Amino acid sequence: MTTPHTYITTTIPYVNARPHLGFALELVQADVLARHRRARGDRVRLQAGTDDNSLKNVLAARAAGVGVQEFVDANADAFVALAGPLSLSVDDVIRTSRDPRHRPGVERLWQACADAGDLYRRHYEGLYCVGCEQFCTPDELTGGRCPEHGTQPQPVSEENWFFRLSRHGDALHDLITSGALRIEPAERRNEVLAQIAAGPADFSVSRSTGRAHGWGIPVPGDPSQVIYVWFDALVNYVSALGYGTGGPDLERWWGGDGRRIQLAGKGVLRFHAVYWPAILLSAGLPLPTDILVHDYLTAGGQKISKSGGATVDPAVLAARYGTDAVRWWLLREVPRVGDTDFTVARLVSRANDELANGLGNLVSRVTALVRRYRAGQVPDPGAPAPGAPAAAATATGPCAAGAEPLEEAIRRAPGRVDAALAGFDFRAASAAVWSIVDEANRYVSQAQPWVAARLERAGDSEAGRRLDAILATLIRACRAVAEHLDPFLPDAAARVTQQCAALDGKLPPAAPVFSRIEVAGPALPDPAALAEPAALADPVDLPEPVAPAEPAALSESADLPESAAR
């Protein structure tokens, strides 16, 4: 049987400033999908990169008084470095100004579209938004300003090369409506279909060398023009695979029956779901199988961006509050459709309520019970506990009496996660994992293993067998959480696994899985206080978390109440 291949890409961000939390959302979502498919047995390639060849990079470098390549390199390094603080499993990174694979791929794709008769040159006058790197029509503006950036587009009059998008509208419509090109969620698919129904207009795919300040890839055979940054950037998805330079990766990852999943924000939907598929059709290349679209993060109601006033640095957040807290907020708070407002208070609350009080407390309680009542040895009851129905012996092991809801949560979690991630719903997927945590905590309170331990000490052997079944069930639940949590919080999952894995027959010494985040100072800052100045400025300080005190040692003789180890 052939192993399924799954190629997952993120958009490649402009490097006119340091990274912001909105792009971290996309990176984390892509990482979850990649880790999940690897766990299901797929061969996976997670591709990321940086878009170095834009006009806005040139203008930002000039404003900073730095050479363009130096400026681009510094910010690109900051994007690449996010792999550490966000715990990303990226397989490859391509930089459009530096990587030797990229320019040959751009030139080859340009020539393929030219050979298809889809490139022509003509004079054009229009309004150009540097922030969007696109021409805007008057009806796309709000009060004469770009709705995305709030700036007035610049009037431009020049001769450019154009791509015949109008030739491919019917084919795009058929591919999308048939599901051959899947766009999720449905709201974004309908948006794309509406754009196509309105009649896709040919678009400019070059800029004058003068207006581009000489930065970018020249049009083959026309040194007076530089290839439009979006045509250039979109090619990264195949140039990274050797399109233009050769090798087996292109056929392995962009051909055949494998899935080609592309993530993108709603602000660049037209480029990825209209322009890019049309360019591929022109060149005779396969299309993506899935385009998964996320909405925006905001701070104080303002879109988080690199060039706007609201900028939150994900590396700073992770350094202050931890990788798990940042990833968990992005996965648990952000809905499938709709913008989401970020505050540090929400991040801290989510981490404390669920990671520290929920999962951390569960693992601490369960492993403490095993250490206290079974000297650290995980019981193997071997058969359903007294009072449990015969059917309670499940594929995950014998089910203790009263643990049926917990066992059902464990049994259903893989299918629920699969279905949710197939629908690009990270909140539903993480909720499926969290249902195990909730049921396990309820079961601890219901089963009261400390009562069974007290009866066992009084000579009740049946209570001892019941305690074995309870502890075995709870350890199994913690291990199931770790397994299913791994794509979402790989670092946390590893700590849970380590605490619940027997070493030389016994659980390891106790170690915290999560600690509560205690923020110094009387209050958290307003979201607006998180805004950073423009590129290369030092980040504004965030409140420092207070290091938690070590938990007091538990008495070996006392029973462990349900609120212990919190």
Side-chain angles (χ1 to χ4, degrees):
M1 181 177 177
T2 303
T3 301
H5 282 63
T6 302
Y7 181 47
I8 301 172
T9 69
T10 69
T11 55
I12 57 172
Y14 299 128
V15 289
N16 58 309
R18 290 179 57 83
H20 63 76
L21 190 63
F23 185 61
L25 169 66
E26 186 173 306
L27 288 171
V28 170
Q29 289 178 336
D31 184 66
V32 171
L33 294 177
R35 290 178 183 272
H36 173 254
R37 293 318 311 165
R38 292 188 191 110
R40 295 297 186 262
D42 288 10
R43 291 189 63 184
V44 175
R45 179 182 176 119
L46 175 55
Q47 181 72 46
T50 60
D51 184 353
D52 301 353
N53 294 333
S54 72
L55 176 58
K56 64 195 303 181
N57 295 343
V58 175
L59 298 179
R62 289 192 172 187
V66 180
V68 178
Q69 190 67 64
E70 177 186 354
F71 180 86
V72 164
D73 287 346
N75 282 329
D77 288 345
F79 278 92
V80 174
L82 286 177
L86 295 180
S87 288
L88 305 174
S89 60
V90 174
D91 295 296
D92 184 39
V93 175
I94 187 166
R95 289 195 45 205
T96 60
S97 71
R98 288 282 193 188
D99 199 300
R101 295 172 294 179
H102 186 63
R103 178 167 174 170
V106 174
E107 293 172 339
R108 180 181 175 187
L109 193 64
W110 180 279
Q111 190 60 54
C113 293
D115 292 344
D118 281 333
L119 297 181
Y120 64 97
R121 185 166 176 162
R122 72 174 173 89
H123 182 79
Y124 183 78
E125 294 184 5
L127 298 173
Y128 191 79
C129 174
V130 175
C132 293
E133 292 282 12
Q134 70 171 3
F135 283 102
C136 304
T137 60
D139 61 349
E140 292 174 328
L141 304 179
T142 303
R145 293 181 176 271
C146 169
E148 186 84 6
H149 297 93
T151 56
Q152 289 184 323
Q154 303 171 355
V156 172
S157 175
E158 64 184 18
E159 189 167 288
N160 298 142
W161 286 90
F162 275 72
F163 177 81
R164 296 186 196 275
L165 181 63
S166 55
R167 179 182 287 180
H168 301 284
D170 290 344
L172 288 175
H173 176 274
D174 292 346
L175 286 164
I176 294 169
T177 54
S178 70
L181 174 55
R182 173 175 172 253
I183 301 173
E184 292 289 347
E187 291 81 354
R188 301 299 165 227
R189 179 170 63 254
N190 293 336
E191 183 180 334
V192 171
L193 289 172
Q195 292 177 12
I196 295 171
D202 297 353
F203 66 98
S204 172
V205 288
S206 74
R207 303 290 179 259
S208 69
T209 301
R211 190 156 66 86
H213 302 278
W215 184 255
I217 299 174
V219 169
D222 187 353
S224 71
Q225 297 279 302
V226 169
I227 293 176
Y228 174 40
V229 63
W230 270 106
F231 189 103
D232 171 341
L234 290 166
V235 182
N236 93 90
Y237 303 127
V238 292
S239 65
L241 302 176
Y243 181 79
T245 54
D249 284 344
L250 183 68
E251 179 59 29
R252 177 180 298 131
W253 299 106
W254 199 261
D257 298 329
R259 292 183 67 191
R260 299 173 290 278
I261 302 172
Q262 303 205 257
L263 277 71
K266 67 178 181 181
V268 295
L269 178 61
R270 177 189 302 176
F271 302 102
H272 285 82
V274 180
Y275 292 0
W276 176 230
I279 291 170
L280 292 168
L281 286 173
S282 175
L285 289 172
L287 271 59
T289 57
D290 306 79
I291 298 176
L292 308 179
V293 187
H294 61 83
D295 285 357
Y296 291 149
L297 298 184
T298 60
Q302 182 180 0
K303 178 194 171 188
I304 293 177
S305 67
K306 298 189 297 296
S307 54
T311 297
V312 181
D313 189 323
V316 173
L317 279 181
R320 298 290 175 85
Y321 304 109
T323 297
D324 295 321
V326 174
R327 285 181 66 115
W328 197 238
W329 186 87
L330 293 170
L331 297 167
R332 287 288 275 161
E333 293 275 347
V334 178
R336 190 168 181 263
V337 179
D339 297 343
T340 306
D341 205 61
F342 169 81
T343 67
V344 169
R346 291 186 183 122
L347 180 145
V348 171
S349 176
R350 178 67 73 171
N352 284 343
D353 290 349
E354 292 190 337
L355 299 184
N357 295 348
L359 179 56
N361 188 46
L362 172 67
V363 175
S364 178
R365 293 163 74 187
V366 169
T367 54
L369 288 165
V370 173
R371 292 186 188 96
R372 173 171 299 172
Y373 299 134
R374 293 297 180 260
Q377 294 182 333
V378 179
D380 180 11
T394 68
T396 55
C399 176
E404 292 81 9
L406 172 56
E407 293 289 354
E408 179 70 2
I410 295 172
R411 185 188 66 80
R412 292 187 60 207
R416 290 179 61 193
V417 170
D418 288 352
L421 291 184
F424 198 49
D425 191 338
F426 294 90
R427 280 213 300 199
S430 57
V433 180
W434 217 249
S435 67
I436 304 175
V437 177
D438 288 340
E439 289 294 346
N441 275 315
R442 276 191 283 270
Y443 178 64
V444 173
S445 301
Q446 171 198 326
Q448 297 185 329
W450 47 89
V451 173
R454 188 161 52 243
L455 293 173
E456 181 186 35
R457 287 198 299 270
D460 187 339
S461 59
E462 182 177 333
R465 291 192 296 272
R466 186 165 65 251
L467 178 59
D468 282 346
I470 293 169
L471 296 180
T473 297
L474 288 170
I475 285 290
R476 187 165 62 251
C478 291
R479 289 170 176 170
V481 171
E483 176 187 354
H484 301 309
L485 187 66
D486 182 70
F488 304 91
L489 299 181
D491 299 346
R495 293 195 301 273
V496 174
T497 297
Q498 190 273 337
Q499 280 294 288
C500 297
L503 181 66
D504 295 328
K506 293 187 176 182
L507 295 181
V513 174
F514 297 103
S515 297
R516 285 183 57 83
I517 300 172
E518 304 293 346
V519 179
L524 295 167
D526 183 85
L530 294 174
E532 286 185 13
L536 300 184
D538 292 331
V540 172
D541 286 340
L542 298 174
E544 290 281 1
V546 176
E550 289 294 324
L554 295 171
S555 167
E556 286 299 324
S557 58
D559 291 326
L560 188 69
E562 67 172 291
S563 60
R566 184 175 293 275

